[in-house]
Amino acid sequence: MRCLRESDGARQSLPARLIRRLSGGAVQVPPRVVPKPGAVLKMSPPEDKVLGPEDCPRCGFEVVSEGAVYVTAVGRRWHPQHFVCEVCALPFDDDEHKYFEANDGKVYCSEHLPSQYGQQIRGACAVCGEPVDAQNDYFENMWGEIYHEHHNAQLKECEYCGSAVCQEVKPGQIIACKHCVEVAVTSRKTLESIFEDVRKGMEEIGLRIGDQQVKIGMVQQEQINKNAGVYHQDKASTVLYPSPDVPRKDRVYGILVRNQLPEEYAETQLVHEAMHIWLKMNRFPSNLPPTVCEGLCEYAAYLYLTRPGVGDLEDDEIHRVDEIKFNPDPVFGVGFNACNDAVNLLGSFSSVLGYVKQQLWFPDAKDLKVKHKSNISDTAKGSSDESSDASTLG
């Protein structure tokens, strides 16, 4: 048996993920257990009772059809309160606790379905709902949903995390997996709260924007495209700059973020746009090449996600880091990697910022002179000529 886990590269959503075969153990059918909370009292028909077509298989009493509520399953009628797993006695539903019919004519949940013809059941397929035989190949996406191998080619990838989307996606809907839908930001108030965390996190990595006024908007993609420049078209966010005629103390920036982004994704977008604001506050040249400007913002998001003190990264955060590092975009991805190379060359992000402010480009190892390093260090220390609200490089 092979369990092909997406988190180990089964779908190869990102170059960092490599295919790895896993040997999953067959699920052992446990003995009868004490009913869990929500379970009903177990019962069975009298041994001498011959069940009629309208008798409930669980209690043996007739299910009166006229005016009564009943469940029809596996060719029989059941009292709703008696349609439960034979082992754990928990009621079935159409989502997490599906029912399966065994050869003994009884119904079980996927966890307790007995072995039949040598099969061991891993669980219910997240696509079709049928049992997944643990002795055959199957997939498990990065959020723990399992599905038959033959579904893999037809499934779409989540726009946000790259995982297989096991649920139906209707025309016009954003392609998003169950997990990303569940953790989506649904209100501007929540988004504003996330941005306040971003302010604090950026200050931890030496990119302070202080009390600078920033208005946050949660909008549809069309509004982002309407306000964004060329390189932010169809991206999930963009920044709005105040008029240069407005005095610095009165300037208000804006950030537009696509409606209902997953929380970690929205946070990363806010960091990226906040870095654009930081560059403007610190009077970086307005004619920075797009690759340089977007590369600096992507590197700031990378530093934010991997900053010391945040603990082990969650799956969402790991994916965001991989997405930044392996982004094939000719501006965002190429810019990040050029910035990363420059950091490795000069030793710190602050040194790279100082160099870029002077040279409008990332340093090249082949022509970078040793004397630049001392100049860059001095430039970095004095690069903030804003008021007390401006950032200082760490």
Side-chain angles (χ1 to χ4, degrees):
M1 183 280 294
R2 295 177 299 164
C3 171
L4 312 179
R5 300 176 63 92
E6 276 189 0
S7 57
D8 298 304
R11 293 181 64 83
Q12 301 187 67
S13 299
L14 296 169
R17 296 178 181 155
L18 303 176
I19 295 178
R20 180 155 57 94
R21 311 298 186 196
L22 300 181
S23 56
V27 175
Q28 299 297 318
V29 179
R32 288 177 177 267
V33 295
V34 177
K36 301 176 183 178
V40 302
L41 181 65
K42 293 182 183 179
M43 61 181 68
S44 58
E47 294 182 1
D48 58 349
K49 171 74 172 181
V50 178
L51 295 180
E54 296 186 354
D55 291 337
C56 174
R58 180 73 61 197
C59 68
F61 288 92
E62 182 181 8
V63 178
V64 181
S65 59
E66 185 175 354
V69 178
Y70 60 92
V71 175
T72 301
V74 297
R76 305 300 299 271
R77 292 180 178 180
W78 306 70
H79 294 116
Q81 68 271 27
H82 296 160
F83 187 55
V84 298
C85 173
E86 184 70 20
V87 176
C88 66
L90 287 173
F92 298 114
D93 57 44
D94 294 330
D95 189 15
E96 301 295 338
H97 203 242
K98 299 178 183 293
Y99 74 88
F100 301 97
E101 181 182 15
N103 283 352
D104 58 6
K106 298 176 181 178
V107 288
Y108 301 84
C109 66
S110 60
E111 182 181 358
H112 299 126
L113 185 64
S115 172
Q116 299 177 63
Y117 304 110
Q119 294 182 348
Q120 296 290 338
I121 302 303
R122 173 64 178 83
C125 174
V127 178
C128 67
E130 295 298 318
V132 173
D133 180 0
Q135 293 183 334
N136 294 331
D137 292 352
Y138 64 92
F139 279 86
E140 180 177 354
N141 70 12
M142 63 188 295
W143 305 117
E145 292 181 299
I146 62 172
Y147 53 93
H148 296 111
E149 184 183 21
H150 63 267
H151 293 309
N152 188 56
Q154 71 191 51
L155 297 183
K156 298 179 180 179
E157 290 188 358
C158 177
E159 180 176 328
Y160 302 122
C161 70
S163 182
V165 179
C166 297
Q167 294 70 38
E168 180 184 3
V169 179
K170 297 180 179 179
Q173 284 186 332
I174 292 177
I175 302 174
C177 69
K178 181 180 178 181
H179 170 81
C180 288
V181 171
E182 290 176 346
V183 300
V185 178
T186 58
S187 71
R188 189 176 69 176
K189 184 177 180 180
T190 301
L191 198 61
E192 290 172 341
S193 176
I194 295 174
F195 183 70
E196 292 309 309
D197 291 337
V198 166
R199 283 185 191 268
K200 297 174 184 176
M202 289 189 66
E203 186 168 357
E204 291 174 9
I205 57 175
L207 299 169
R208 183 175 180 271
I209 60 176
D211 297 328
Q212 171 62 55
Q213 293 187 64
V214 181
K215 291 187 176 181
I216 307 298
M218 192 166 66
V219 300
Q220 300 296 325
Q221 186 64 54
E222 293 77 10
Q223 191 168 346
I224 292 177
N225 291 345
K226 182 179 178 180
N227 290 276
V230 174
Y231 298 101
H232 274 255
Q233 291 294 311
D234 295 323
K235 301 296 184 183
S237 62
T238 192
V239 65
L240 303 177
Y241 296 107
S243 168
D245 297 331
V246 178
R248 291 186 177 276
K249 63 182 181 61
D250 299 325
R251 290 181 182 178
V252 178
Y253 292 84
I255 297 178
L256 300 181
V257 179
R258 186 194 298 164
N259 187 39
Q260 295 190 334
L261 291 182
E263 185 172 339
E264 295 292 345
Y265 194 97
E267 186 175 24
T268 307
Q269 295 300 311
L270 288 170
V271 176
H272 179 103
E273 305 306 340
M275 185 61 189
H276 277 296
I277 294 174
W278 187 94
L279 292 173
K280 182 66 70 173
M281 289 174 61
N282 285 274
R283 299 182 180 179
F284 272 64
S286 59
N287 60 338
L288 281 178
T291 302
V292 175
C293 187
E294 302 300 345
L296 292 173
C297 294
E298 286 291 272
Y299 194 85
Y302 169 79
L303 279 185
Y304 176 91
L305 290 170
T306 59
R307 68 191 187 279
V310 297
D312 295 335
L313 298 180
E314 301 290 339
D315 287 343
D316 304 65
E317 295 167 323
I318 292 173
H319 176 75
R320 296 288 161 247
V321 171
D322 285 347
E323 189 177 50
I324 293 172
K325 291 168 60 178
F326 303 108
N327 188 354
D329 188 278
V331 174
F332 287 68
V334 170
F336 167 79
N337 283 289
C339 183
N340 187 56
D341 290 343
V343 170
N344 291 332
L345 181 65
L346 298 182
S348 69
F349 188 40
S350 61
S351 295
V352 172
L353 288 168
Y355 184 95
V356 167
K357 191 172 185 179
Q358 283 189 326
Q359 306 296 329
L360 308 185
W361 196 254
F362 294 119
D364 191 320
K366 293 182 293 186
D367 59 13
L368 184 67
K369 305 298 183 182
V370 175
K371 65 179 182 179
H372 283 157
K373 293 187 177 181
S374 59
N375 293 337
I376 290 167
S377 178
D378 293 337
T379 302
K381 292 179 182 177
S383 64
S384 176
D385 52 4
E386 275 282 1
S387 65
S388 59
D389 282 341
S391 170
T392 56
L393 293 169

